[in-house]
Amino acid sequence: GAVVSQHPSWVICKSGTSVKIECRSLDFQATTMFWYRQFPKQSLMLMATSNEGSKATYEQGVEKDKFLINHASLTLSTLTVTSAHPEDSSFYICSAETDWWEQYFGPGTRLTVT
Amino acid sequence: SQQGEEDPQALSIQEGENATMNCSYKTSINNLQWYRQNSGRGLVHLILIRSNEREKHSGRLRVTLDTSKKSSSLLITASRAADTASYFCATVKTQGGSEKLVFGKGTKLTVNP
């Protein structure tokens, strides 16, 4: 089946630094990838839609200058949390969409900002 | 308000019992999907049911869809401790020409051995 990986699986960083999270579709090409954030005991909230070769589309309330998304190839999208603060601590999940419109999710990245 | 609202929020049952989770949504849909999330892990797609389908089976899972009531249910039969997870329904929302999944709050299922 379609497999999506994320790296790193967890990261701890200091306030003010930037962190990059990678999302890869391992055995299929994904024109579209999605980035979600999940706070403890809450549902997933879509942050942005990442389209290969074009700018990402951000959901209302998500700062595009803070959460930089790059979808440089059909198998890789990256999310960079710039100038991270403790309130950015969360579980970040990406998903990749297949040609037959199914989303496969990565295992998630736990970000802790101290 | 959010598309896709599950109930109950939490469900605790004994191994071997059946677990039923419900999802309601507000706008018309093309399909509805159910996902499972183990604690601290990513989502696993369980099943997709299209708007013209009323029931779908996959192993011990049975999903029903009632478009007139805008609701869906997920039934897990003969539950196992390994079924302990959060379960989310998701619908597609079209906005600005693009489609995206919108998730409900989820049902936390605990299956006690």
Side-chain angles (χ1 to χ4, degrees):
Chain A
V3 179
V4 176
S5 70
Q6 274 184 247
H7 177 79
S9 56
W10 60 270
V11 57
I12 301 172
C13 70
K14 292 187 177 180
S15 190
T17 61
S18 296
V19 174
K20 180 185 284 188
I21 303 170
E22 294 184 348
C23 177
R24 292 181 186 274
S25 56
L26 297 185
D27 50 2
F28 67 100
Q29 293 184 330
T31 305
T32 304
M33 290 185 175
F34 302 88
W35 286 96
Y36 299 85
R37 182 168 56 186
Q38 185 180 32
F39 292 106
K41 298 183 180 179
Q42 294 189 29
S43 185
L44 273 73
M45 295 298 295
L46 179 65
M47 297 175 66
T49 302
S50 168
N51 294 297
E52 187 268 338
S54 63
K55 290 183 179 180
T57 304
Y58 291 81
E59 294 300 299
Q60 194 171 12
V62 178
E63 300 174 60
K64 61 180 181 180
D65 293 330
K66 182 170 183 59
F67 298 100
L68 300 179
I69 290 172
N70 186 291
H71 195 156
S73 77
L74 288 171
T75 59
L76 173 64
S77 175
T78 60
L79 168 68
T80 301
V81 183
T82 63
S83 187
H85 289 103
E87 56 265 32
D88 298 325
S89 298
S90 188
F91 192 56
Y92 292 86
I93 300 177
C94 74
S95 70
E97 188 176 81
T98 65
D99 289 340
W100 53 97
W101 204 84
E102 280 181 333
Q103 285 195 35
Y104 288 86
F105 289 81
T109 297
R110 171 75 60 193
L111 170 64
T112 302
V113 184
T114 61
Chain B
S1 57
Q2 194 172 31
Q3 186 91 312
E5 298 280 344
E6 294 93 337
D7 79 88
Q9 291 188 348
L11 180 62
S12 182
I13 60 174
Q14 295 300 123
E15 211 166 23
E17 294 179 342
N18 295 341
T20 300
M21 290 159 272
N22 303 297
C23 168
S24 60
Y25 56 93
K26 292 182 169 54
T27 62
S28 60
I29 60 170
N30 290 324
N31 64 67
L32 185 142
Q33 304 178 38
W34 283 91
Y35 291 82
R36 181 182 73 207
Q37 185 181 31
N38 289 81
S39 182
R41 304 294 298 275
L43 288 169
V44 174
H45 181 266
L46 294 177
I47 200 162
L48 181 152
I49 186 165
R50 302 188 190 285
S51 59
N52 60 352
E53 297 176 307
R54 292 295 168 260
E55 190 170 306
K56 201 162 181 179
H57 296 253
S58 177
R60 291 184 296 112
L61 306 180
R62 182 171 78 102
V63 169
T64 62
L65 179 65
D66 187 336
T67 53
S68 66
K69 295 180 180 178
K70 291 187 167 59
S71 68
S72 173
S73 68
L74 170 67
L75 168 68
I76 303 175
T77 60
S79 64
R80 304 167 183 169
D83 295 328
T84 294
S86 290
Y87 292 83
F88 296 89
C89 70
T91 55
V92 174
K93 183 178 179 181
T94 302
Q95 190 173 33
S98 65
E99 294 186 336
K100 53 202 72 175
L101 281 178
V102 178
F103 291 85
K105 293 186 172 64
T107 294
K108 185 176 172 61
L109 172 66
T110 302
V111 181
N112 301 300

